[in-house]
Amino acid sequence: MARSLPPLPWLRSFECAARRMSFTAAADELGLTQSAVSQHIRGLEQHLGVPLFERKPRGLALTDQGRRLQPDVSAALGLLAHATAGMVEETAKSLLTVAASVSFAQWYLAPALPQFLARQPGLSLRLVSTVWPDDFHSAVADVEIRFGPASVVGEGAARLLPDGLVAIATPQIAADPECLSHHRLIEAVGTSDDWRKWAAHTGHGAALAPSIFVDSHGLAVDLARNGAGIAVTSALLAGPCLAAGDLVAIDTTVVPSEDGFFIATRSPASEGAVAFTQWLQEEIAKHTAERQCPAP
């Protein structure tokens, strides 16, 4: 019976270490730990039954067996890379990666994305949800939709307008003239756009005190939609629910907001990224026209 081939990661670690003459350098190139590379090579040596490296105090040296193996392994890995490169390039051309805050992905993108995908039958979509601004650094995306003040969202990001701060509730709760005192107030923490700011701008005084605190505007909208109380949140984020009539604004005033949603595309922008951006702007314009809450 033919002997089984050694695992590909073992061969990759060997080829890289033989080329760099360093387990540490190989680990950096492959995105592994030095220990992992060492274990791969030890496993390969045990599989083949011969030593491939001489471990010296000041570095590595290939054994005779290692020198014989290296060119064949390098050539084989090169053939595999060549064979798959074209497929990877074709996949990348047809794949659009969008990174968006969890709230925006849930409340704005998810309901409308089927319409966008219907326009782009040959396009594959990967949607990456993010929580903190640092998440965008680890998400290599064609399009990013970030939330925060203009000072922290990064260069090249354009604010999605119109936006503002609104107080929203179900039609049943909003019908109560004293709803602000009869129902719980919901607030997203970690932002300066809160009930105090809304109250000061709308003339409701400073007596409004939230009693439900959440970590995202999306959850605030979700709680309001389920009748838990009145949420102060982004008018843009609440747009689809306002347009559908699931929620209504308890005051016609839209308070200027420091935080907002910003869109940025990786340069050069792909055809899919351009199409997505244009579609999203159309969706925002549609919801703005339909929603009961007027634009600021």
Side-chain angles (χ1 to χ4, degrees):
M1 181 181 294
R3 192 171 188 179
S4 62
L5 289 173
L8 182 60
W10 293 3
L11 294 172
R12 291 180 68 240
S13 291
F14 164 74
E15 188 280 332
C16 193
R19 178 164 38 84
R20 304 291 296 271
M21 277 299 147
S22 167
F23 288 175
T24 301
D28 290 339
E29 180 176 326
L30 297 173
L32 301 172
T33 64
Q34 190 272 346
S35 175
V37 169
S38 180
Q39 290 175 10
H40 287 173
I41 293 172
R42 188 177 300 110
L44 182 60
E45 290 175 326
Q46 292 174 351
H47 180 89
L48 298 176
V50 295
L52 300 173
F53 289 96
E54 293 181 24
R55 279 75 166 175
K56 297 185 176 182
R58 296 190 177 182
L60 296 174
L62 283 168
T63 63
D64 289 342
Q65 296 91 336
R67 282 192 293 271
R68 288 202 303 268
L69 183 63
Q70 181 187 9
D72 289 339
V73 171
S74 296
L77 291 176
L79 286 173
L80 289 173
H82 177 74
T84 58
M87 295 181 182
V88 171
E89 290 175 1
E90 287 301 316
T91 300
K93 290 180 182 178
S94 63
L95 176 65
L96 175 67
T97 301
V98 178
S101 69
V102 173
S103 295
F104 198 88
Q106 176 186 3
W107 283 106
Y108 218 102
L109 292 182
L113 271 176
Q115 302 172 22
F116 170 72
L117 294 175
R119 295 186 185 182
Q120 306 288 333
L123 186 68
S124 297
L125 176 71
R126 178 171 62 187
L127 183 59
V128 182
S129 58
T130 60
V131 178
W132 309 110
D134 287 346
D135 291 343
F136 285 103
H137 297 301
S138 59
V140 180
D142 301 294
V143 180
E144 295 179 358
I145 302 170
R146 310 164 184 166
F147 179 78
S151 59
V152 303
V153 295
E155 297 182 2
R159 187 160 187 160
L160 293 173
L161 295 174
D163 197 5
L165 197 65
V166 293
I168 55 174
T170 61
Q172 294 78 10
I173 290 178
D176 179 1
E178 302 297 325
C179 61
L180 287 173
S181 58
H182 291 169
H183 297 273
R184 288 180 174 270
L185 305 184
I186 306 164
E187 181 176 286
V189 298
T191 173
S192 60
D193 296 327
D194 52 20
W195 273 106
R196 180 180 300 179
K197 181 176 182 178
W198 183 89
H201 197 90
T202 58
H204 284 84
L208 300 181
S211 59
I212 300 178
F213 299 91
V214 295
D215 62 358
S216 72
H217 281 285
L219 187 52
V221 173
D222 201 13
L223 286 172
R225 188 168 177 265
N226 284 281
I230 307 169
V232 62
T233 189
S234 160
L236 182 62
L237 190 66
C241 287
L242 291 170
D246 297 331
L247 293 169
V248 297
I250 66 168
D251 191 292
T252 58
T253 304
V254 179
V255 177
S257 173
E258 179 180 348
D259 294 330
F261 291 96
F262 293 75
I263 189 168
T265 57
R266 186 170 58 179
S267 181
S270 65
E271 292 182 6
V274 172
F276 179 87
T277 301
Q278 293 175 345
W279 164 80
L280 181 59
Q281 291 170 340
E282 291 174 5
E283 282 296 304
I284 291 174
K286 181 182 72 174
H287 286 143
T288 300
E290 292 176 350
R291 72 190 186 190
Q292 299 178 24
C293 174

